[in-house]
Amino acid sequence: MSKTLTQFSDAIVETVKAASSSVVSVEGRNRLPSSGFVWDESIVVTSSHALERDRIHVGQNGKAVGAKLIGRDPGVDVAVLRLTEKGRWPVAQRAADDSVQVGAIVLAVGRPGPNVLASFGIVSTVEGGWHTPAGGFVDRYLQTDVVMFPGLSGGPLVDANAQVIGLLTSGLVNGQSIAIPTRTLQRTVESILQHGRVRRGYLGVSAQAVELPESVRARVGQPVGLLLLNVEPHGPAGRSGLLLGDTLVTLNGRPLHSLEELLASLSSDLIGHVIPAQVVRGGEVHEMSVWVGERE
């Protein structure tokens, strides 16, 4: 039994060593530094909430280089930095398959100072798409029981193979160990590198879920829709002909049951495009075309 535990302990140590080679300290505030990890030879990702000043330094083992903030998305607590020196540290290995399951062993790895910091645990919860309290959308809600020691935010959550499956954050939900999954990270980093920010579609409406009349349910094949409580006159929806009191049932072929589903459907690739919408107006179902704008 002792030999088995020793082997398990040694395996954990080796996993932390492998993962930590690409983990850096990020000095972007006037207190304890946060962590980050090397995305490619000149790019580091970290937590947005831990960056509070323009002068940013990224380091490892007492050696630091300057870094410039390219952009951030506070909605998912992600920031992207460009290093002044390329190839200084190894690039983090990201898991090809992000379908991590509940119960999987995971490690939180950070470097809020000269030394590596690690925390061990398991995946506690994996759920579907999640709209964060800060207004961002995460592909999956990924919660663990790892202890989020101060300074771990921005570091990687890694699997048993030392591959990154998410970015650690304590800036979205107090008291919970949340990780932004790699699929969301990939999309966020690519958008920031291309545009300097994350682009989001916009209709200019406020809405709430309501039950549809029985006569309408059978025609549209769903029990609820989104009642438009406000339509900006000069917004994309208003310019497309949507009216206060309309009930939005589908958008671009996707059924809408909640405001979260509406926001999730307004992906960046739809910006500037006209898409089909199904609307209930005066008890009748209408097919309409809606232009998608961009949220400023």
Side-chain angles (χ1 to χ4, degrees):
M1 187 67 171
S2 176
K3 182 178 180 181
T4 301
L5 288 177
T6 299
Q7 291 174 337
F8 178 70
S9 176
D10 290 344
I12 295 296
V13 170
E14 291 304 313
T15 301
V16 171
K17 284 182 179 178
S20 65
S21 64
S22 60
V23 177
V24 293
S25 174
V26 179
E27 298 181 27
R29 55 186 176 183
N30 297 321
R31 44 197 173 95
L32 180 71
S34 60
S35 301
F37 59 94
V38 182
W39 186 265
D40 73 18
E41 62 176 6
S42 63
I43 300 298
V44 163
V45 295
T46 186
S47 286
S48 174
H49 82 271
L51 299 178
E52 301 172 351
R53 67 187 189 201
D54 294 331
R55 286 187 61 196
I56 302 171
H57 288 89
V58 172
Q60 189 184 102
N61 299 324
K63 299 179 180 179
V65 299
K68 179 181 179 182
L69 176 65
I70 300 175
R72 64 171 91 202
D73 182 7
V76 294
D77 196 28
V78 172
V80 179
L81 308 175
R82 188 181 300 280
L83 301 175
T84 56
E85 296 182 21
K86 291 184 178 181
R88 171 73 94 144
W89 300 289
V91 175
Q93 297 299 307
R94 303 192 291 273
D97 182 4
D98 66 356
S99 58
V100 61
Q101 298 182 12
V102 173
I105 291 176
V106 289
L107 290 161
V109 184
R111 198 187 293 268
N115 300 316
V116 174
L117 181 64
S119 183
F120 171 85
I122 64 170
V123 175
S124 306
T125 304
V126 178
E127 298 180 6
W130 173 51
H131 282 275
T132 72
F137 178 74
V138 173
D139 293 271
R140 292 180 308 141
Y141 182 82
L142 180 57
Q143 183 179 348
T144 74
D145 70 348
V146 300
V147 179
M148 282 292 291
F149 295 114
L152 272 179
S153 274
L157 180 72
V158 302
D159 61 16
N161 296 313
Q163 295 182 327
V164 178
I165 60 172
L167 178 141
L168 301 162
T169 174
S170 60
L172 292 176
V173 181
N174 290 330
Q176 294 186 17
S177 299
I178 304 297
I180 306 303
T182 51
R183 189 186 311 172
T184 303
L185 278 177
Q186 182 77 39
R187 184 180 66 249
T188 302
V189 172
E190 287 178 355
S191 180
I192 289 174
L193 289 177
Q194 185 175 357
H195 305 288
R197 58 192 172 84
V198 174
R199 303 177 74 207
R200 291 194 173 91
Y202 177 68
L203 290 184
V205 301
S206 61
Q208 71 175 30
V210 294
E211 293 187 359
L212 296 173
E214 288 289 345
S215 59
V216 175
R217 291 186 186 188
R219 278 181 283 171
V220 300
Q222 63 189 72
V224 299
L226 293 181
L227 176 65
L228 302 186
L229 304 176
N230 181 58
V231 179
E232 297 176 6
H234 302 292
R239 292 166 58 185
S240 300
L242 291 179
L243 302 173
L244 178 69
D246 284 346
T247 300
L248 195 56
V249 180
T250 67
L251 190 67
N252 205 30
R254 294 178 58 175
L256 299 175
H257 303 91
S258 66
L259 182 59
E260 287 75 19
E261 288 185 350
L262 173 61
L263 295 174
S265 69
L266 297 172
S267 55
S268 61
D269 60 306
L270 296 180
I271 294 172
H273 293 271
V274 176
I275 59 176
Q278 199 172 47
V279 175
V280 177
R281 178 182 295 172
E284 298 295 326
V285 180
H286 299 268
E287 304 293 334
M288 301 183 65
S289 295
V290 178
W291 174 69
V292 180
E294 181 176 359
R295 182 176 295 279
E296 297 296 332

